[in-house]
């Protein structure tokens, strides 16, 4: 699987921002049958993302914190398999 994220707004701002997770499988086809959860810090609970139309896109607004350099954590579950990915982000502090 190939996993990418986007934030809305981009670049993200401190506090709540929407995170869009795009997951593709072999040959660039959308990866389905997944449970995708997000969190902005180790101390926050996991929040399940909403699948957007069976096209390998999952979205959810999460609190990404206030640190200029943050990390969005993405947990992907498929059956009994689970993987946690970390994506570094830079906040717009202007």
């Amino acid at each position: 699987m190939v996993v990418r994220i986007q934030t809305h707004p981009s670049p993200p701002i401190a506090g709540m921002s929407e995170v869009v997770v795009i997951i593709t499988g072999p040959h660039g086809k959308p990866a389905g049958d997944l449970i995708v959860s997000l969190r902005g810090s180790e101390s926050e609970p996991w929040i399940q993302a909403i699948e957007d139309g069976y096209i390998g896109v999952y979205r959810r607004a999460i609190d990404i914190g206030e640190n200029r350099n943050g990390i969005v954590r993405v947990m992907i579950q498929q059956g009994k398999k689970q993987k946690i990915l970390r994506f570094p982000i830079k906040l717009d502090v202007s």
Side-chain angles (χ1 to χ4, degrees):
M1 284 188 252
V2 174
V3 180
R4 296 180 293 130
I5 69 166
Q6 298 174 351
T7 60
H8 297 266
S10 181
I13 57 174
M16 298 296 286
S17 287
E18 181 182 44
V19 177
V20 178
V21 182
I22 304 158
I23 305 174
T24 53
H27 310 291
K29 294 187 178 189
D33 223 11
L34 305 172
I35 297 173
V36 176
S37 300
L38 306 166
R39 69 181 179 184
S41 73
E42 293 290 339
S43 63
E44 295 291 322
W46 289 103
I47 300 173
Q48 186 172 336
I50 299 166
E51 187 172 10
D52 193 359
Y54 304 107
I55 56 172
V57 176
Y58 303 81
R59 59 181 70 234
R60 189 65 186 228
I62 62 167
D63 184 352
I64 57 174
E66 297 184 11
N67 294 330
R68 181 173 178 84
N69 297 308
I71 296 177
V72 171
R73 291 147 184 90
V74 177
M75 178 171 52
I76 301 169
Q77 296 172 281
Q78 185 174 36
K80 294 184 179 186
K81 296 179 186 176
Q82 175 180 301
K83 183 76 173 176
I84 296 175
L85 305 172
R86 291 167 178 79
F87 293 88
I89 57 169
K90 287 195 181 283
L91 299 182
D92 181 4
V93 292
S94 57

